[in-house]
Amino acid sequence: MSAEAALLQKRCTAALPPALVRSIETFIVDIPLRRVHKLSRAVLTHQSYLIVRLTTADGIQGIGEATVPGGPWWSGESVEAMRALFLSHIAPLLEGRDIFSANAIMAEIDQVAYANAALKSAVETALLDAAARTLSIPMSGLFGGRIAEALPVLWVLATGELEADIAEAQEKLASRLHRRFKIKVGRGDPGDDARRAAETANAIGCPCSIDLNEAWSFADTALAQAILEGSGVDILEQPLPRADLPGLADLARRSSLAIMADESACSASDMVAIIRERAASYVSLKISKSGGPSRMLAIARMAQAAGINLFGGTALDSSIGTAANLQCCSTLPLAGGTELFMPLLLADDILEEPLIYRDFCVEVPSGAGLGVTIDEAKLRHYERK
């Protein structure tokens, strides 16, 4: 290290004394939904979250959220298992640690816990939230700053019923909340699902994607593509099992519909394989499936370099997880907008001030850290006893 660099490091260290983790809390909360939400392999009436909260010796708090959509079917993780792993193996690594050492802490966590991306995301988010609050800057400032103050947000249609989905979409359009939609399919016959999606998209008159969550075979998808061609559906999200990248690539060559990778794109190594196979033209970005903000942004940069479009996905995050995703996604040139809609589907919020949705966008919180504050009474109300 040069003398100049050493002097700069000394000055920075002097100006920014270590903020050490004094206490650690976890909460499992179960929040009901406004309506039933049907996925290809789960039917949801509520969504569960593990919230991790760190408090420094200076009294600064950092929060992070771990969630999987509807339970362990998506990634093998559950809030119950994540909490047990956290308390036994990860919390001891955080006690007394400097919140400005997130990279070192996360590397140590990788040594004691394989996979568990959603839990690792909660931990890194809490560390970065606390660090940004200590610096009195939004978390996006840790990644070079945002390029947008509000991001387009679509609405997910998942009642499983044609008329109900159309009516819901029309209400969202009239309220100027959403003008792009995703249609959840995969529970029924592929041909019937494709026809329902095409009819829904045509009735709405807005661009739509459909999301299978790996539910179809190659033959199913090829049949559905023929039905969907020329409809208002323009993107197929994860129609095939996550490991079938050659199949996704073949589908991409066969149709004008774009292919979006979600379950297939959970890590940097996944992204290498997608690029090599030319398996997708969009990638859904989520901090929860990637293991945290830093790894999600690494995936995004790889996709950018390969000319793959970026989309801000959701793991059905609460307002806490949504705020974290917004802080990250606001630093990226998103081509497909986001689907960070979940706070509007939850029947209640656990923040003092809810996120702002208007003019077909969701605003990126402007305060320090995540820019949001937990409502303690709501947190206790929905905490699992």
Side-chain angles (χ1 to χ4, degrees), residues 337-358:
T338 77
E339 59 175 0
L340 296 171
F341 77 106
M342 189 61 183
L344 297 179
L345 183 60
L346 294 172
D348 202 356
D349 208 323
I350 57 173
L351 297 184
E352 289 185 356
E353 297 291 336
L355 300 175
I356 298 173
Y357 290 81
R358 62 185 174 195

Side-chain angles (χ1 to χ4, degrees), residues 64-325:
E65 172 184 290
T67 188
V68 287
W73 67 273
W74 202 96
S75 65
E77 296 172 278
S78 69
V79 293
E80 299 85 3
M82 286 189 284
R83 186 183 207 177
L85 175 61
F86 177 83
L87 293 175
S88 297
H89 298 281
I90 295 178
L93 300 178
L94 297 172
E95 295 169 356
R97 299 297 295 276
D98 185 347
I99 58 172
F100 290 97
S101 300
N103 286 345
I105 293 170
M106 297 309 297
E108 291 177 29
I109 291 173
D110 283 340
Q111 293 299 310
V112 301
Y114 174 74
N116 285 279
L119 177 56
K120 291 176 181 178
S121 176
V123 174
E124 188 190 28
T125 299
L127 289 166
L128 296 176
D129 181 34
R133 289 179 191 270
T134 300
L135 297 172
S136 299
I137 62 171
M139 195 174 82
S140 57
L142 300 177
F143 310 125
R146 62 190 62 172
I147 59 177
E149 299 298 329
L151 302 178
V153 58
L154 62 70
W155 179 260
V156 176
L157 301 170
T159 69
E161 303 295 332
L162 174 65
E163 297 301 327
D165 278 354
I166 292 172
E168 189 172 83
Q170 290 171 338
E171 186 273 326
K172 299 299 180 184
L173 279 166
S175 301
R176 294 185 59 81
L177 290 172
H178 312 276
R179 58 184 170 191
R180 182 176 179 88
F181 299 90
K182 175 193 283 190
I183 305 164
K184 284 287 189 178
V185 295
R187 296 186 65 82
D189 174 80
D192 291 342
D193 273 354
R195 281 183 283 271
R196 174 170 63 85
E199 191 172 345
T200 301
N202 292 336
I204 296 168
C206 293
C208 295
S209 60
I210 63 172
D211 187 6
L212 288 307
N213 294 115
E214 309 177 86
W216 286 351
S217 67
F218 184 88
D220 292 336
T221 310
L223 169 66
Q225 280 181 313
I227 296 170
L228 294 167
E229 289 283 358
S231 72
V233 174
D234 58 1
I235 297 175
L236 288 177
E237 181 174 346
Q238 200 65 50
L240 304 182
R242 64 190 70 193
D244 191 3
L245 295 184
L248 289 177
D250 198 356
L251 291 172
R253 289 189 292 268
R254 288 168 173 259
S255 174
S256 63
L257 276 67
I259 299 296
M260 181 183 291
D262 182 8
E263 286 92 335
S264 292
C266 294
S267 67
S269 59
D270 287 346
M271 202 65 234
V272 169
I274 288 170
I275 293 168
R276 183 184 298 121
E277 293 283 350
R278 299 182 183 270
S281 51
Y282 283 85
V283 61
S284 180
L285 302 168
K286 305 173 187 177
I287 62 172
S288 61
K289 69 173 181 177
S290 305
S294 298
R295 292 172 185 179
M296 188 206 84
L297 291 170
I299 291 170
R301 299 306 182 197
M302 294 172 69
Q304 273 186 285
I308 296 174
N309 296 308
L310 307 180
F311 177 75
T314 182
L316 303 185
D317 312 280
S318 81
S319 292
I320 295 170
T322 298
N325 277 288

Side-chain angles (χ1 to χ4, degrees), residues 330-379:
S330 66
T331 70
L332 298 170
L334 301 179
T338 77
E339 59 175 0
L340 296 171
F341 77 106
M342 189 61 183
L344 297 179
L345 183 60
L346 294 172
D348 202 356
D349 208 323
I350 57 173
L351 297 184
E352 289 185 356
E353 297 291 336
L355 300 175
I356 298 173
Y357 290 81
R358 62 185 174 195
D359 295 328
F360 311 113
C361 291
V362 54
E363 296 184 8
V364 185
S366 59
L370 296 183
V372 300
T373 303
I374 289 179
D375 183 318
E376 294 295 330
K378 292 284 186 71
L379 177 65

